[in-house]
Amino acid sequence: MSKRLDKYRKLPVFQKSEEILELANVIAETLKEDDKKEHLDSEILSNAMIMQVKIAGAEGGGLYSLKMQNAVLIKLAAHDMLNAVIFAAMVEINEEDYVTLMREKVEEFRLAFVDWIRGFDKSYDIPDNWAIRFDASTPEQEKLEELMFDEDKFFDDFEDDDFDEDEEDDV
């Protein structure tokens, strides 16, 4: 793989996600003994893997809103994975209590994650029409909103009579 494509692997946040995946593999191995545990096994492993995939995806894209979208999915995957580990301990289906260890790993990851997302370039972005990222009260947002699709301007080109004729045909 090229150095540019492999750059994300050197990030502290990715390295912490690798530690989480290693622990998830250990936990999953203890859960593979019967069918009731298999769902938790896949829940833990898939979420640990999603964290890594989304870090790579965020690093591969440039737009701030896309990076933040991946960041939100990473946060959700970390929570879902930790919840599955906690559930396994609650119903006593794993041989050891991995909750404390996983919590510590997730907290280490969270600290690296916060540092990582603080480094995202907020100036390199476009509006996504979902209004999650942009504050409508800023001059920058007003300029960006001018570029967005304006439904009122679009329908100004149509005359009201155009719509009335269609309604009469339907009756």
Side-chain angles (χ1 to χ4, degrees):
M1 222 175 239
S2 76
K3 288 182 183 180
R4 186 175 122 346
L5 293 177
D6 225 16
K7 184 179 174 183
Y8 68 91
R9 292 184 179 276
K10 293 183 173 100
L11 294 170
V13 70
F14 189 83
Q15 292 171 351
K16 290 294 178 188
S17 74
E18 285 182 320
E19 292 175 18
I20 287 174
L21 182 57
E22 287 174 21
L23 179 57
N25 274 315
V26 169
I27 296 169
E29 282 300 315
T30 67
L31 299 174
K32 284 188 176 180
E33 295 169 5
D34 68 44
D35 293 340
K36 292 178 184 176
K37 300 175 184 181
E38 195 171 311
H39 173 71
L40 285 173
D41 156 78
S42 63
E43 180 80 12
I44 293 166
L45 281 176
S46 64
N47 279 301
M49 290 177 194
I50 286 171
M51 293 166 65
Q52 291 192 320
V53 168
K54 295 302 177 183
I55 291 169
E59 285 300 308
L63 296 176
Y64 178 79
S65 56
L66 294 177
K67 286 180 177 259
M68 288 305 291
Q69 179 179 327
N70 280 307
V72 168
L73 295 173
I74 292 165
K75 176 187 173 191
L76 293 173
H79 281 273
D80 288 347
M81 179 199 56
L82 184 57
N83 287 337
V85 172
I86 292 168
F87 178 77
M90 282 175 41
V91 295
E92 300 174 347
I93 61 173
N94 61 348
E95 295 171 10
E96 296 185 35
D97 183 12
Y98 290 102
V99 175
T100 303
L101 190 53
M102 185 58 86
R103 275 191 176 131
E104 289 169 1
K105 288 293 178 195
V106 169
E107 179 60 16
E108 291 172 12
F109 174 81
R110 186 191 66 78
L111 295 173
F113 176 83
V114 169
D115 287 342
W116 176 60
I117 63 171
R118 285 185 178 156
F120 292 172
D121 182 3
K122 294 178 183 179
S123 66
Y124 184 61
D125 205 4
I126 58 173
D128 67 356
N129 294 340
W130 286 80
I132 292 173
R133 154 73 170 102
F134 292 98
D135 178 5
S137 64
T138 65
E140 293 84 12
Q141 177 61 21
E142 290 174 10
K143 288 179 196 173
L144 290 170
E145 285 180 353
E146 289 174 13
L147 299 173
M148 287 193 229
F149 176 74
D150 186 347
E151 190 175 311
D152 294 331
K153 288 180 184 176
F154 178 78
F155 285 110
D156 281 346
D157 292 340
F158 295 99
E159 295 180 20
D160 288 337
D161 294 339
D162 291 341
F163 294 108
D164 292 339
E165 289 175 17
D166 289 340
E167 289 175 10
E168 290 174 11
D169 293 339
D170 292 337
V171 177

